[in-house]
Amino acid sequence: MSDNRLFSQQYDPNAPELNFPLVEETRPSLYRAMKYWGKKPHNIWSSFIERYCPPGGLVVDPFAGSGIAAFEAVKLGRKAVALDLNPLSSFIIEVTASKYDEALFLATATRIRQEAQSDEFYRRHFSRTRNGVCSTVLNYRWERDRVVGVALETDDETRSLTQADEDDAALAAELDAVTIPAWYPQAA
């Protein structure tokens, strides 16, 4: 056993080649957090790095993608360089490697939610009371050019799809006419 407890075995440059099938294991949440095309199994990267790169060695991944090889290398006590032409790769690797402050996230999310819910526009367009129950409008169901349903969620997270009434249709039409000052994707 290596002195460093991260390693599952002592590095041996004369050990036999990996000449057997490696089967993907269940991915830890770290690697399921973001989708990325062509993600390679973490345990297979780990096996190759552990076998072919000595502790303290350097793993260079010129097609890093979501950075799994780099993360596995660091976990195994190797240095890592991750490169990719896709700027999304840099973003995913940076976000995944960044410290996450759950308390700060929850406080910020709560503040944003409270600010949104106190806004008159929000209250008018996204708050409904049906049968004495206050709900949030999640979306409208459209058929051709008219609103036929409203998806609602109550405070206890119960969701329902109810038939739209005239008020819902009028509010949906108002939303459709709102000018959004920032850029957003639009149909051509």
Side-chain angles (χ1 to χ4, degrees), residues 82-98:
L83 308 166
D84 202 299
L85 289 175
N86 187 348
L88 182 60
S89 293
S90 297
F91 174 76
I92 289 173
I93 292 168
E94 182 177 343
V95 168
T96 305
S98 296

Side-chain angles (χ1 to χ4, degrees), residues 111-127 175 178:
R111 181 184 53 77
I112 291 169
R113 182 177 186 173
Q114 289 170 345
E115 286 178 17
Q117 289 175 335
S118 68
D119 181 77
E120 179 57 35
F121 183 87
Y122 177 89
R123 286 197 313 267
R124 175 168 167 69
H125 291 279
F126 296 101
S127 183
L175 281 176
V178 169

